[in-house]
Amino acid sequence: MRKFSEHFLWGGAVSANQCEGAFREDGKGLSTADLLCRETYGKDELELSLNPDYYYPCHTAIDFYHTWRADLCLFAEMGFKCFRLSVPWSRIFPNGDDEEPNEKALRHYDELFDECRRLGIEPLVTLSHCEMPVALLRKYGGWKNRTLIDLFARYAETMFTRYREKVKYWITFNEINFIFMKGFLYQNGGVLLRPGDSLKELQYQVAHNQFVANAKCVKLCHEIIPGSYISAMMEAAIAYPPTCSPEDVLLAQKSNQEYTYAYLDVLLKGEYPYYWRKRIREEQLSVDMREEDFRILKEGTGDYIPFSYYMSRMPVDLCKVDLSNNSGRAVFENPYLKTSQWGWSIDPAGLRIVANDFYTRYAKPLFVVENGLGARDILTEDEKVHDDYRISYLREHIRQLRLAVDDGVEILGYTTWGCIDLVSQSTGEMSKRYGFIYVDLNDDGTGTQKRYKKDSFYWYQRVIGSNGEDLGEAL
């Protein structure tokens, strides 16, 4: 049986807005994520102001901006070969269109990437992970405005140039296809939904503008960092047919075309599939697409497929799915599968299905950059967290990933989501924990922020040390 490559990149992943905190420190501008509180997660309509009566989880998060040296040491102790993180656009260019970048922020990430290298950890950097400068929303309306294409490319070029010797692996946009999920017009697109707006038109316009920006960034990265890997990232919840009736098979096919394959076709082939062109034409959607855009898309196709995998799903209208309050359970209900505490289906074999499907269609290496189980962990009196449920979840997914490797799929690495507990992207909770490291922090922001190693910490340490061969039980 084929094994994981000796260069396989084991590790973990976080995003800046969910872990850094320090939301106005060292010249950082206000980001769209900074305006999300427990009352506004999952909404596309909110006020662009801070309410002193609300708690905003991203403002302090787990304080990674100050604790990163100690946290990296914990990652190194587990044996990480790779650490996926994001850099907030609003730290580098506080207003998004500033004349000069924020040197203090650039120096911060110089130090962080240098420490990763010293510890033998490969940084994998996301440029846009559910945040952008609020100033760009106020001034231009967010990603519905084509002006952001060149502004984002300028930000990316600054990053590539500064860190060309330190970062080889890049992601432009996190879960770019989430623009079709309720609440992510704002989080992914920096766009507010106003009365009278066409949600579908806005979603397609944001998608197109981000496609063009991604392609420009890919071309720039290849020119500045030869041998680099770069692409936008996908959320890879493939839809299964509810039954084997031809009608249900067709329903699932169309759902996957709209939510998954259309994006991958543009990102990896540089062209819109016929069904997206047909949808835009037949629904008379007003989307600003220009002739030069299609040339740019062809010139800037991705090198690999970074994707998140948490679950499979059923074919429903994702625009109506609200991840913030679990009203979208129908997306994940499958009578053959168990579900997590948040109603997400648990489908390890689906990871193997996705890996084979993507590799068959696009013949480019894959990178699982998010996979994990959100659960309510309990810190015992003797400061332990016995998360055998997390170990079981991850073990079965890694086992299926190993089977995909044996199938012949080229996989570069695997970084679990939320390797240290952080603020939930969909709900703003701390109690929805994913990490190998418990952070003493509650949903209301109270707690010591002290770190504790969970049972899964030691289990993952053995997995990495054996290059995926030892998937045994926890100690």
Side-chain angles (χ1 to χ4, degrees):
M1 186 175 183
R2 287 182 58 187
K3 300 180 179 181
F4 291 109
S5 161
E6 61 180 316
H7 304 295
F8 194 81
L9 294 172
W10 297 97
V14 300
S15 83
N17 74 80
Q18 294 169 263
C19 73
E20 276 193 350
F23 84 114
R24 297 305 297 265
E25 199 165 320
D26 290 341
K28 178 184 172 294
L30 197 67
S31 85
T32 49
D34 294 329
L35 298 182
L36 290 173
C37 56
R38 292 295 300 279
E39 290 76 12
T40 53
Y41 274 91
K43 291 181 169 55
D44 288 323
E45 311 91 352
L46 64 155
E47 296 298 322
L48 295 182
S49 59
L50 296 174
N51 186 327
D53 296 328
Y54 290 160
Y55 168 63
Y56 294 86
C58 294
H59 290 190
T60 53
I62 64 167
D63 199 33
F64 182 76
Y65 190 78
H66 299 109
T67 64
W68 62 269
R69 289 187 187 275
D71 291 337
L72 284 181
C73 285
L74 289 171
F75 301 158
E77 185 181 342
M78 268 188 284
F80 277 22
K81 311 296 182 187
C82 181
F83 175 46
R84 180 192 168 208
L85 69 158
S86 71
V87 172
W89 187 355
S90 55
R91 280 206 193 278
I92 308 304
F93 289 97
N95 298 297
D97 59 357
D98 309 77
E99 287 295 321
E100 298 294 332
N102 178 2
E103 179 60 27
K104 187 173 288 188
L106 291 169
R107 285 200 302 270
H108 171 81
Y109 294 105
D110 271 322
E111 294 178 9
L112 195 156
F113 297 148
D114 285 343
E115 183 67 3
C116 283
R117 290 292 185 187
R118 188 186 73 80
L119 294 169
I121 299 173
E122 188 84 42
L124 192 169
V125 177
T126 306
L127 295 172
S128 177
H129 195 127
C130 296
E131 71 86 32
M132 57 176 278
V134 168
L136 294 182
L137 194 166
R138 290 190 173 119
K139 189 172 181 180
Y140 303 106
W143 273 103
K144 67 182 180 182
N145 192 317
R146 291 181 59 94
T147 303
L148 267 68
I149 295 173
D150 287 334
L151 290 175
F152 187 78
R154 179 168 170 262
Y155 156 54
E157 184 175 14
T158 300
M159 295 289 289
F160 301 150
T161 303
R162 180 73 172 223
Y163 306 119
R164 72 177 83 190
E165 303 296 331
K166 305 181 185 193
V167 181
K168 176 181 178 181
Y169 295 92
W170 298 87
I171 292 170
T172 51
F173 296 97
N174 177 76
E175 294 178 324
I176 190 170
N177 53 330
F178 244 36
I179 196 66
F180 281 107
M181 189 72 77
K182 189 177 187 301
F184 283 81
L185 181 67
Y186 176 77
Q187 286 198 45
N188 269 26
V191 176
L192 292 176
L193 188 63
R194 303 296 192 189
D197 283 344
S198 166
L199 176 61
K200 184 69 74 173
E201 278 188 0
L202 288 173
Q203 289 169 327
Y204 274 85
Q205 187 64 66
V206 167
H208 179 74
N209 290 345
Q210 290 185 348
F211 284 147
V212 177
N214 170 76
K216 285 195 168 191
C217 293
V218 168
K219 188 175 181 182
L220 282 167
C221 192
H222 289 163
E223 292 169 354
I224 297 168
I225 315 175
S228 58
Y229 284 82
I230 181 169
S231 186
M233 172 203 158
M234 290 289 297
E235 195 276 326
I238 292 293
Y240 293 159
T243 73
C244 56
S245 76
E247 291 79 11
D248 280 350
V249 172
L250 185 62
L251 181 67
Q253 181 187 64
K254 288 188 175 300
S255 177
N256 288 325
Q257 285 178 337
E258 181 76 3
Y259 183 67
T260 304
Y261 303 136
Y263 276 84
L264 288 171
D265 281 0
V266 179
L267 296 172
L268 302 172
K269 295 180 178 180
E271 59 190 38
Y272 276 93
Y274 66 91
Y275 45 86
W276 259 35
R277 297 195 303 268
K278 182 173 183 286
R279 169 71 64 84
I280 292 170
R281 182 176 64 253
E282 288 188 348
E283 296 192 16
Q284 297 182 326
L285 301 176
S286 179
V287 182
D288 186 359
M289 297 178 170
R290 303 177 185 179
E291 195 61 37
E292 73 257 24
D293 295 347
F294 300 101
R295 174 185 55 79
I296 292 168
L297 293 177
K298 274 292 188 184
E299 293 176 349
T301 56
D303 306 289
Y304 72 129
I305 308 177
F307 68 94
S308 63
Y309 179 83
Y310 296 95
M311 65 205 134
S312 53
R313 62 184 177 86
M314 306 305 284
V316 299
D317 187 349
L318 291 167
C319 294
K320 298 177 181 177
V321 173
D322 187 351
L323 292 180
S324 67
N325 62 15
N326 242 7
S327 67
R329 277 181 175 266
V331 181
F332 319 120
E333 287 179 355
N334 182 323
Y336 298 97
L337 301 173
K338 296 179 180 179
T339 58
S340 73
Q341 291 173 322
W342 271 263
W344 294 18
S345 66
I346 299 174
D347 183 11
L351 178 55
R352 183 184 182 186
I353 292 169
V354 166
N356 275 276
D357 185 47
F358 285 4
Y359 196 62
T360 298
R361 287 174 175 272
Y362 301 102
K364 296 203 176 183
L366 312 182
F367 202 133
V368 184
V369 296
E370 288 185 29
N371 175 237
L373 178 70
R376 297 187 188 277
D377 296 334
I378 298 174
L379 183 68
T380 63
E381 289 186 4
D382 59 349
E383 300 182 343
K384 307 289 185 185
V385 177
H386 303 302
D387 57 340
D388 54 300
Y389 41 87
R390 180 169 293 108
I391 292 170
S392 176
Y393 175 98
L394 294 173
R395 178 194 299 115
E396 295 310 311
H397 281 78
I398 293 172
R399 184 171 286 145
Q400 291 294 327
L401 196 64
R402 167 78 179 277
L403 290 172
V405 169
D406 191 53
D407 291 335
V409 178
E410 183 182 359
I411 303 172
L412 299 173
Y414 173 84
T415 56
T416 65
W417 176 246
C419 49
I420 182 170
D421 290 347
L422 38 63
V423 175
S424 168
Q425 190 71 65
S426 56
T427 63
E429 297 169 290
M430 271 301 301
S431 54
K432 187 180 183 183
R433 299 175 183 274
Y434 285 87
F436 303 115
I437 301 162
Y438 184 95
V439 179
D440 181 27
L441 196 64
N442 302 312
D443 288 342
D444 62 0
T446 60
T448 65
Q449 294 194 351
K450 187 176 178 181
R451 274 65 164 153
Y452 301 91
K453 300 171 188 176
K454 304 178 188 179
D455 287 355
S456 57
F457 180 101
Y458 302 102
W459 173 82
Y460 197 47
Q461 186 181 61
R462 295 203 311 280
V463 171
I464 297 174
S466 67
N467 197 28
E469 293 299 303
D470 182 1
L471 300 179
E473 302 293 332
L475 292 172

